[in-house]
Amino acid sequence: MDPNHDFDSTSDYAESFSASEFTSIKTNRLLDLYEHGRRYQGVVADRYGLPNDEAEQLREGIKYRLYLDHILNGKYFFAPIGELPQKIVDLGTGTGMWAMEVAEKYPSARVIGTDISTIQPSWTPPNLEFRVEDLEDDYRPWTSIYNNADLMHCRFLMQVVRDPKRMIQTIYDRLKPGGWIECHDIVPEVYSDDGSVGDNHPVNRVYELIDGPFTEFYKWSLHIVLKLPDLLREVGFVNVSTRRNKIPMGRWPNEHNEREMGLFQQAIVLDFALAVLAKRDILGLDQDEASELGQQVLDTVNDPSIHAYMDWADVWAQKPE
């Protein structure tokens, strides 16, 4: 493998992988940083460890299709907010796909998508607005634009914020009485039912590296997903519901739907690992070590003899009336 490769490939089939309080989208297109061939948000330096370039946006799109088409079976969320919601907020909206479709489905609602990265489309439905904002700014609290929401939606957000409990408390305070929070996250562990996933699976080794220096630098909380139900109750939420989805990884399943989910997850996990390994300096790896681990991830997720799974977890809860 070429040791000079900068991990900017998105293919999961290749044989090898080579301001102001609310900052407008248009005025911040140039606020990006570049490192090891990947592009990162530059609104707040060193706040979020994953890139925002086209490769990462493609990965986000695959995640969205896996969730919408397979895990949620065409639903956008589980929270029972009724047919005429007035305000829906998508925290960590990313490319804004979820917010766009929800705004079209619920024309009665004002939909707000907010993110630290400026990668949302310029065209939106009339009831949707995108905001670029650091939701964890210690000196600038959330404004009234978020008040009285029917639903605050968080997908893959809680694991990458510095203080999940404070984020949950802020959401609780901004929801209207009877409003809902809904979170979707991935459980950071690869496993199998037949023993084909060994103790030293390379994806699990990537997660171990994230738990070390990467987490120390970015203050991630990868394992918060299993603690969310209790945190929601501690803050005051009621009617807490959970669901755990067992998703295959790889092309090994025989059943069509399972195989499609496996291929989606294979692409998602592979590109996630490569994006993390691009931050090899923070991980404490040299270029050769990062390249070797990346190749091991690629080889393993493409091995049909390894019948791997990962769990995707959903939790939703209500603020008391």
Side-chain angles (χ1 to χ4, degrees):
M1 178 179 175
D2 181 2
N4 297 315
H5 190 79
D6 280 326
F7 301 108
D8 56 358
S9 171
T10 64
S11 172
D12 55 309
Y13 303 111
E15 292 302 320
S16 63
F17 56 87
S18 17
S20 60
E21 181 171 24
F22 285 136
T23 308
S24 72
I25 300 294
K26 293 180 181 178
T27 59
N28 263 284
R29 287 294 185 187
L30 300 180
L31 286 184
D32 292 312
L33 305 173
Y34 293 83
E35 181 180 353
H36 298 310
R38 303 301 300 265
R39 189 188 72 202
Y40 299 84
Q41 66 82 24
V43 175
V44 182
D46 300 331
R47 179 56 57 85
Y48 180 64
L50 293 177
N52 68 356
D53 52 20
E54 286 74 16
E56 179 65 9
Q57 291 178 47
L58 176 60
R59 190 179 76 90
E60 288 294 318
I62 296 171
K63 280 199 305 187
Y64 182 62
R65 294 320 322 171
L66 174 58
Y67 237 113
L68 184 66
D69 296 343
H70 295 282
I71 298 177
L72 299 185
N73 294 316
K75 297 180 180 179
Y76 293 102
F77 46 82
F78 292 114
I81 64 172
E83 296 300 319
L84 296 172
Q86 298 302 298
K87 185 181 289 185
I88 297 173
V89 179
D90 188 25
L91 301 174
T93 194
T95 59
M97 288 179 287
W98 185 89
M100 292 272 288
E101 294 192 18
V102 167
E104 292 179 350
K105 181 175 177 61
Y106 295 97
S108 65
R110 180 186 186 184
V111 180
I112 303 167
T114 183
D115 201 277
I116 201 171
S117 201
T118 58
I119 56 174
Q120 298 77 33
S122 57
W123 179 90
T124 66
N127 59 326
L128 168 63
E129 56 191 295
F130 288 121
R131 301 290 186 178
V132 178
E133 173 174 33
D134 178 12
L135 295 172
E136 294 192 281
D137 192 323
D138 294 325
Y139 304 102
R140 185 169 293 155
W142 294 17
T143 66
S144 60
I145 192 173
Y146 299 112
N147 288 357
N148 298 312
D150 296 88
L151 172 66
M152 289 207 179
H153 174 265
C154 315
R155 181 169 294 164
F156 301 106
L157 174 71
M158 291 300 175
Q159 292 174 306
V160 298
V161 298
R162 294 174 298 167
D163 190 341
K165 186 171 183 180
R166 185 176 73 165
M167 179 69 69
I168 292 170
Q169 182 66 63
T170 304
I171 292 171
Y172 182 91
D173 294 339
R174 299 296 177 172
L175 285 169
K176 74 175 188 180
W180 291 82
I181 180 176
E182 182 159 329
C183 304
H184 305 275
D185 296 282
I186 191 168
V187 180
E189 180 187 11
V190 180
Y191 67 94
S192 63
D193 293 332
D194 59 4
S196 57
V197 171
D199 295 334
N200 205 28
H201 192 284
V203 173
N204 287 335
R205 281 163 39 211
V206 171
Y207 281 125
E208 290 170 4
L209 287 171
I210 295 173
D211 278 338
F214 203 87
T215 290
E216 291 176 10
F217 190 86
Y218 289 110
K219 309 301 181 187
W220 283 14
S221 305
L222 281 186
H223 301 281
I224 194 67
V225 57
L226 301 179
K227 303 174 184 176
L228 277 178
D230 289 337
L231 283 178
L232 292 169
R233 294 184 182 97
E234 288 177 19
V235 168
F237 282 98
V238 297
N239 298 324
V240 178
S241 299
T242 62
R243 203 179 79 147
R244 194 155 168 169
N245 314 279
K246 182 179 179 180
I247 309 299
M249 182 169 65
R251 65 190 72 192
W252 59 267
N254 293 321
E255 194 275 326
H256 173 75
N257 189 60
E258 292 279 312
R259 184 181 178 88
E260 187 170 84
M261 287 194 292
L263 288 170
F264 280 171
Q265 177 145 261
Q266 173 180 318
I268 292 163
V269 172
L270 172 61
D271 285 355
F272 172 77
L274 302 188
V276 170
L277 290 171
K279 291 281 191 177
R280 54 183 179 268
D281 298 337
I282 294 175
L283 295 171
L285 303 176
D286 61 30
Q287 191 162 341
D288 289 339
E289 291 170 329
S291 297
E292 181 181 358
L293 182 52
Q295 187 66 56
Q296 290 171 0
V297 171
L298 175 65
D299 293 342
T300 304
V301 299
N302 277 289
D303 186 345
S305 71
I306 298 176
H307 302 155
Y309 290 95
M310 295 188 73
D311 288 349
W312 296 45
D314 315 310
V315 57
W316 59 104
Q318 187 178 29
K319 180 177 179 178
E321 296 277 0

